[in-house]
Amino acid sequence: MFSTGVDPRSLGRPPDSPWKDDEMRKGFTRKPKAGEPATPGKNYITRSGLQRLKDEHRFLLTRERPAVTEVVAWAASNGDRSENADYQYGKRRLRQIDGRIRFLTKRIEAAEVVDPEAPRAGQAATRAFFGATVRYANAAGVSRVVSIVGTDEVDLNRNHISWVSPLGRALMKSAAGDSVVLQLPGGTEYLTVLEVCYERISVEPFREPPGSEASAKGLPRRR
């Protein structure tokens, strides 16, 4: 098992690199363009990552949306809606919730679960594919460890990178001893793959947002 106690801001670049943090982050994530799905076709994801999407979807649909709807109904009963902050905020929040529910629904329907711990044979066991944990070194000899996950599971604090990110694509299909090239806006980075393994990837579970209307239900309304 690899140790992942590293600073995610320095992953994939030497300590004295002039690249800015936001440039390096582009190696780990890929933000979809407007109107483009987060990933084309199937949504490859780990089982725990899918569960997190389902938990958020359930929370929004069964708890948060009903709670906000209640606020909107209460605010509408107070008179002039055009100057009613609770009503205006509630309607805006409902649109945001509905948009997120639609997004989550599509991601869940397109989900293709991949188990990183499932037995693998041949090249699938020694080369980096979705679910792999990879240890690599840059030209300065600094080694880093990352796990290749779905676009809905990216977590730089845990060194989880998207399989469609520049770094994820660079590492894909590589094996120990291979040299790969990482292309970034700030320049080109040459990496050496040191080890590839498949182990459990711990995804942060969904937690109810502390400021959600569902958790604040019963408190006095804003004035």
Side-chain angles (χ1 to χ4, degrees), residues 6-7 14 17 31 35 37 44 51 59 65-66 69 98 104 112-113 117-118 149 153 169 183-184 196 198 200:
V6 298
D7 182 354
S17 170
K31 184 177 180 181
Y44 293 104
Q51 187 60 53
F59 168 75
R65 194 182 194 287
T69 300
D98 288 341
L104 291 171
E112 183 76 13
V113 175
E117 297 182 280
V149 297
E153 305 173 281
R169 290 185 181 277
Q183 299 287 354
L184 290 173
V196 176
Y198 288 89
R200 182 175 182 273

Side-chain angles (χ1 to χ4, degrees), residues 163-176:
W163 68 280
V164 295
S165 66
L167 180 57
R169 290 185 181 277
L171 295 174
M172 197 66 70
K173 297 183 180 180
S174 65

Side-chain angles (χ1 to χ4, degrees), residues 65-210:
R65 194 182 194 287
V68 175
T69 300
E70 183 180 329
V71 172
V72 172
W74 169 83
S77 67
N78 289 337
D80 188 358
R81 299 179 181 181
S82 64
E83 296 183 2
N84 190 320
D86 281 292
Y87 179 82
Q88 296 298 331
Y89 169 80
K91 294 293 288 184
R92 183 169 64 252
R93 178 65 183 137
L94 276 179
R95 289 193 294 270
Q96 294 172 343
I97 292 173
D98 288 341
R100 181 63 179 172
I101 289 175
R102 287 193 297 270
F103 173 82
L104 291 171
T105 299
K106 292 179 180 178
R107 302 300 288 156
I108 293 171
E109 291 176 347
E112 183 76 13
V113 175
V114 177
D115 182 3
E117 297 182 280
R120 298 165 186 261
Q123 291 189 348
T126 59
R127 292 190 175 275
F129 296 100
F130 184 99
T133 295
V134 183
R135 182 165 63 91
Y136 67 91
N138 60 19
V142 179
S143 65
R144 300 288 182 253
V145 177
V146 295
S147 294
I148 302 174
V149 297
T151 57
D152 298 307
E153 305 173 281
V154 174
D155 186 341
L156 300 191
N157 291 325
R158 293 173 179 246
N159 303 327
H160 295 173
I161 67 170
S162 166
W163 68 280
V164 295
S165 66
L167 180 57
R169 290 185 181 277
L171 295 174
M172 197 66 70
K173 297 183 180 180
S174 65
D178 288 351
S179 295
V180 300
V181 179
L182 173 62
Q183 299 287 354
L184 290 173
T188 301
E189 184 80 349
Y190 298 93
L191 311 175
T192 300
V193 178
L194 304 176
E195 191 175 359
V196 176
C197 80
Y198 288 89
E199 59 187 26
R200 182 175 182 273
I201 298 176
S202 178
V203 176
E204 181 73 17
F206 171 75
R207 289 184 171 82
E208 181 179 315

